[in-house]
Amino acid sequence: SAIALIGSAGISAQTKSVSLNINHLLNGTQFSTIFPAMAPGGYYFRITSLRYYLSKIKIKHDGGKIDEATGLYILVNPSANNEYILGNFDITNVEAIELGIGVDSAVNHLDPTSYPKDDPLAMQDPTMHWGWNAGYRFIAFDGFAGATNSTTQTSFELHALEDILYSTVTIPAKGTMVTGNLVIYIDAEYSKLLTNIAANEGMIAHGSTGASATLMKNMITSVFTPSATSSVQEVSSSP
């Protein structure tokens, strides 16, 4: 049994803290709620609020092994945060990361008032919950749009919700050792959220069809890419 103990100690020594760092972008520059950006449709928009849930995050590593950050729910607010601790894992080489966009159906219909107030699934202000039946807003994207960058005055609200829209996206990614922690860097280009959506027409969409479905499709097909900035970070070599 002493041999087994040595073996298990050897395994635990390999685990390291792993975090996800999302580089929030608008038209290739730093995310802003102040400056307008151009939508793929050629009009301009300014974000007042963008928030979305991540769940069932899976890290693919070391020749196709998969580890899930079990029980972890993240409310991403590009105005407030960009690095999220995923947990401790035995990982050497990261190959990809899979993100669930939204709240999976097993948890989506639970009572938000039952969580501690600092929990991502607790009641938020402004609210991220659409009532027991629908559950959480998976993506809530509000702002103003217009023909020019000085006329972004038409308000829009795009909220994707309901179990049918829960989606996953897999992003090829590498891990970078930063002061002893493994950081997975990805880019998120949020102007792509408006691909094939005419927010400049005063779009109000709350649900799982129409522009809400297009919003989710854009999130999983166009927004996330492997980060180009990871090599710029201050890194320490892997032990």
Side-chain angles (χ1 to χ4, degrees):
S1 63
I3 294 166
L5 285 172
I6 292 165
S8 64
I11 290 165
S12 63
Q14 300 301 314
T15 65
K16 51 182 79 81
S17 174
V18 181
S19 59
L20 170 65
N21 185 298
I22 303 176
N23 185 26
H24 303 299
L25 299 169
L26 270 181
N27 294 157
T29 60
Q30 189 175 357
F31 179 89
S32 169
T33 55
I34 298 166
F35 301 107
M38 182 174 268
Y43 60 88
Y44 287 84
F45 70 100
R46 184 174 60 80
I47 296 172
T48 52
S49 177
L50 172 61
R51 291 167 302 154
Y52 58 93
Y53 280 104
L54 299 179
S55 60
K56 298 185 92 63
I57 297 171
K58 295 176 183 171
I59 306 160
K60 302 183 180 183
H61 63 95
D62 299 303
K65 293 178 187 167
I66 297 173
D67 275 308
E68 181 176 335
T70 310
L72 178 67
Y73 294 84
I74 295 170
L75 179 55
V76 177
N77 178 350
S79 295
N81 48 38
N82 72 323
E83 190 150 315
Y84 314 90
I85 296 169
L86 303 182
N88 292 301
F89 300 97
D90 180 6
I91 293 174
T92 304
N93 294 308
V94 176
E95 288 150 7
I97 186 163
E98 179 184 297
L99 308 175
I101 308 294
V103 177
D104 57 289
S105 60
V107 174
N108 192 29
H109 305 285
L110 302 182
D111 181 0
T113 65
S114 66
Y115 297 94
K117 66 176 188 296
D118 59 347
D119 192 289
L121 295 174
M123 294 301 287
Q124 305 291 325
D125 183 19
T127 183
M128 285 296 288
H129 200 256
W130 194 258
W132 177 84
N133 196 36
Y136 292 88
R137 293 166 165 89
F138 297 167
I139 310 170
F141 183 21
D142 302 338
F144 294 91
T148 68
N149 63 4
S150 58
T151 58
T152 50
Q153 289 155 354
T154 303
S155 68
F156 66 87
E157 291 179 15
L158 296 163
H159 296 178
L161 49 128
E162 298 182 17
D163 294 334
I164 194 170
L165 280 194
Y166 184 83
S167 304
T168 61
V169 53
T170 300
I171 306 121
K174 291 185 168 66
T176 304
M177 291 302 294
V178 182
T179 59
N181 298 319
L182 187 65
V183 184
I184 301 169
Y185 291 93
I186 60 173
D187 288 349
E189 174 52 75
Y190 296 117
S191 65
K192 300 281 182 70
L193 281 171
L194 292 175
T195 302
N196 298 320
I197 296 177
N200 55 326
E201 295 175 5
M203 183 77 66
I204 306 287
H206 301 146
S208 60
T209 61
S212 296
T214 304
L215 182 73
M216 180 61 79
K217 181 187 174 203
N218 292 340
M219 181 68 104
I220 63 169
T221 60
S222 306
V223 169
F224 297 107
T225 53
S227 181
T229 60
S230 59
S231 59
V232 182
Q233 306 292 331
E234 183 184 2
V235 298
S236 59
S237 60
S238 176

